[in-house]
Amino acid sequence: MDHFLYRDGLLHAEDVAIPEIAAAVGTPFYVYSAATLTRHYQLFTDALSPLPHLVCFAIKSLSNVAVLKLLGDLGAGMDVVSIGEYLRARAAGVPGERIVFSGVGKTRAEIRAALEGGIRQFNVESEPEMRAISEAAVSLGKIAPITVRVNPDVDAKTHAKIATGKSENKFGIPIARARAVYAEAAKLPGLKIVGIDVHIGSQLTDLAPFEAAFTKVAELTAQLRADGHEISRLDLGGGLGIPYERSNEAPPLPVEYGQMIQRTLGHLGCEIEIEPGRLISGNAGILVSSVIWVKEGEGRDFLILDAAMNDLVRPAMYEAHHDIIPVVEAAPGTENHPIDVVGPVCETGDTFAKQRNLPALAPDDLVAFRSAGAYGAVMASEYNTRPLVPEVLVKGDQFAVIRERPTFDEILARDKVPAWL
Ligand SMILES: *Cc1c(COP(=O)(O)O)cnc(C)c1O
C-alpha cells in the first residue's frame, strides 16, 4: 500500500488529485506521500523492535530536507555519504548523534567538519582514511567513533552498478584483513572502535546474500571480541529491494528481513543499525509528466513526454523498469497498445520503456512513473538545459512544493562569462 491510488477515476497522492498539483506546479514534477514514508520507516523499526536498534535513512536515495525532517521527527537516524548530505540532515534538525558517515572517499575536510559538528560514527572504508580520521580527531581534541566497513565477498545478485559486496568492488576492507585493521585502529589515537559495518548492494530481492554476509559479520564479531575489541554496534547497511514491476516481483518484506537479522545476529547483544534508502523512499514517490506528442514511427509509435532521462535516469543508467500509468484511469475494457515511451533529450538513451502496453494517450494527458521516490530527484540534472525537476510533498489533503523549479534566469545567472573573453 503506497497511497497513490485511483479515486473516482483520477490518480491521487493520499487525498490530493494529481491534476490539481499539475495545474499548480506544471510538469514534470515528483510527488512524495508523507503517509507512505512514515509507514515504511515504521515497518523497519517494528521489524527490529526486539533488538536495540537505529534505522538510519540513506539520504542519498531522497535527500530533500522536508523529507528528512519528516523521518527525523519520527526518530530516524541518517546515513550520509558526503558533507553535503550531513548538512542536509542537520538542516532537517537531526542531531549528530543520529548521523552515520559512510562512503569510500571521505576527504580530510569532510572528516573535520563532521567531527566538529558531531557524528555518531564514521564507517571506515580504508586504512589511509582511518589514519586521517585519527589525525583529525587528535588535532581537534575529539574522539572519533568508528566501525570498519568489511567487504564480505558475497554476490548480492543485483545490477552490477549497484553491487558492492564482492571483493572486486571498491568498497570496504576485505574481511580476511579485518582483524589486522582493527588491531591498527586500537593503537591509533583519537579513535574509538564501536562496531562493524557491512553493505553489500542495493535492490536485493533475496535474503540469502544478506544472510551470508551477516553470518560472516557474526563470526567476525566473536573473533574481534576475542582479540579484545569492544563491538557494541553492527551497522548492516541498506539494500532491501522493492517491487518495481508490481505484476511479477515480490521481494522479501522488512519483517522477514528483521527476523533474519534476529536469527543471525540477535544473540550478540549488539545495537543494530540499518541504512535503508530505497525501501523507505522508492514507493513513496512518483514522477508526473505530460504527453507532448504521440509520434508514429516505422513499425512502432513513440509517446514523447516532457520528462526525460535528466529527470529520472534509472532506466537509462540501470536498465530499470518503472511502471507507467495514466493519471486519468482507463475505462474498464480499454485496449492497450505497445508504444515506446521516451523523453525529449537528444540521445537514444533517453528511453523510459520500449513497447510498453498503454491505453491510447493524447498531448497534454498526464502519466505517472511509479516507484520513483528513490534515486529519482536526487540523480536529476539540467542536461539539455532542462530546469531541475521540482518536488512536492503531500500529507493528507495538503500539498507543498518542497523544491522549486528554477527559472531560466536563475539557471543562466550561474554561468559567468570572464571579462577577458
Ligand atoms: C546506497 C547505500 C545505502 C542505501 O541503499 P538502498 O538500496 O537504497 O537501501 C545504504 N548504505 C550505504 C553505505 C550505501 O552506499
Side-chain angles (χ1 to χ4, degrees):
M1 238 286 274
D2 64 12
H3 298 94
F4 296 102
L5 299 171
Y6 289 111
R7 269 194 219 164
D8 304 325
L10 278 188
L11 188 66
H12 280 62
E14 302 191 17
D15 300 331
V16 183
I18 295 298
E20 190 188 330
I21 306 176
V25 178
T27 55
F29 62 89
Y30 281 92
V31 53
Y32 310 121
S33 151
T36 312
L37 290 162
T38 302
R39 177 168 175 274
H40 290 168
Y41 167 73
Q42 208 62 50
L43 287 176
F44 278 113
T45 50
D46 290 352
L48 292 177
S49 60
L51 302 173
H53 69 273
L54 183 66
V55 177
C56 296
F57 177 58
I59 290 188
K60 74 172 196 262
S61 72
L62 173 52
S63 63
N64 190 289
V65 172
V67 169
L68 303 185
K69 177 167 190 324
L70 184 156
L71 293 169
D73 287 354
L74 295 171
M78 301 284 152
D79 170 48
V80 306
V81 293
S82 70
I83 204 66
E85 288 191 350
Y86 177 87
L87 295 174
R88 283 181 176 276
R90 295 305 302 266
V94 180
E97 311 89 77
R98 280 199 267 138
I99 304 176
V100 303
F101 201 152
S102 300
V104 76
K106 304 173 197 77
T107 65
R108 285 178 195 274
E110 288 181 312
I111 291 165
R112 285 184 75 88
L115 275 170
E116 281 172 327
I119 193 84
R120 178 179 178 82
Q121 80 205 27
F122 290 96
N123 293 332
V124 170
E125 294 246 7
S126 68
E127 285 114 315
E129 179 191 282
M130 186 168 83
R131 291 167 202 143
I133 295 173
S134 163
E135 282 166 30
V138 169
S139 80
L140 293 169
K142 305 240 181 203
I143 297 294
I146 63 153
T147 71
V148 174
R149 176 169 177 182
V150 293
N151 185 323
D153 194 23
V154 301
D155 185 352
K157 300 208 165 55
T158 183
H159 191 281
K161 285 187 188 164
I162 50 175
T164 58
K166 284 289 283 175
S167 53
E168 72 250 30
N169 300 135
K170 67 181 175 183
F171 297 97
I173 283 175
I175 199 159
R177 246 194 18 245
R179 289 174 79 186
V181 174
Y182 276 88
E184 182 182 350
K187 292 202 197 91
L188 286 173
L191 300 185
K192 177 174 167 34
I193 296 170
V194 294
I196 305 173
D197 172 49
V198 70
H199 170 74
I200 59 171
S202 200
Q203 186 53 17
L204 273 70
T205 52
D206 182 3
L207 287 182
F210 285 120
E211 184 152 5
F214 299 169
T215 304
K216 290 189 180 189
V217 167
E219 288 162 13
L220 181 62
T221 304
Q223 280 174 349
L224 293 176
R225 283 178 170 169
D227 291 346
H229 304 294
E230 194 187 314
I231 303 296
S232 57
R233 289 182 197 161
L234 299 177
D235 182 335
L236 306 178
L240 200 57
I242 61 169
Y244 280 101
E245 204 165 347
R246 298 191 174 210
S247 44
N248 66 6
E249 280 179 319
L253 301 172
V255 62
E256 297 165 317
Y257 173 75
Q259 284 160 356
M260 185 272 290
I261 289 171
Q262 289 166 54
R263 197 165 64 237
T264 49
L265 301 166
H267 59 287
L268 295 168
C270 288
E271 180 176 10
I272 301 294
E273 296 167 344
I274 56 169
E275 304 168 347
R278 191 188 308 268
L279 205 138
I280 290 180
S281 54
N283 286 334
I286 61 173
L287 170 65
V288 179
S289 176
S290 6
V291 176
I292 305 180
W293 307 116
V294 183
K295 173 171 161 174
E296 276 181 36
E298 187 102 55
R300 62 175 64 205
D301 295 343
F302 298 94
L303 188 68
I304 304 175
L305 301 181
D306 68 354
M309 64 187 290
N310 68 296
D311 304 306
L312 176 65
V313 78
R314 297 191 66 261
M317 182 121 143
Y318 310 116
E319 290 99 37
H321 172 102
H322 284 271
D323 282 349
I324 301 168
I325 58 171
V327 166
V328 177
E329 192 174 20
T334 305
E335 263 189 64
N336 286 339
H337 297 285
I339 191 161
D340 284 13
V341 184
V342 302
V345 161
C346 301
E347 63 172 275
T348 304
D350 187 25
T351 298
F352 290 119
K354 287 197 170 140
Q355 297 297 287
R356 185 67 65 84
N357 276 317
L358 285 171
L361 289 160
D364 298 330
D365 284 351
L366 296 172
V367 298
F369 291 79
R370 285 191 161 280
S371 310
Y375 308 104
V378 285
M379 295 180 88
S381 74
E382 289 183 346
Y383 188 35
N384 279 212
T385 308
R386 296 167 44 82
L388 209 54
V389 56
E391 296 172 284
V392 172
L393 182 65
V394 168
K395 183 178 180 198
D397 61 3
Q398 313 171 75
F399 75 91
V401 176
I402 57 172
R403 187 178 73 194
E404 287 181 343
R405 191 191 315 276
T407 65
F408 286 111
D409 284 345
E410 286 163 347
I411 292 174
L412 292 179
R414 294 200 308 256
D415 288 15
K416 303 294 174 205
V417 178
W420 41 259
L421 204 67

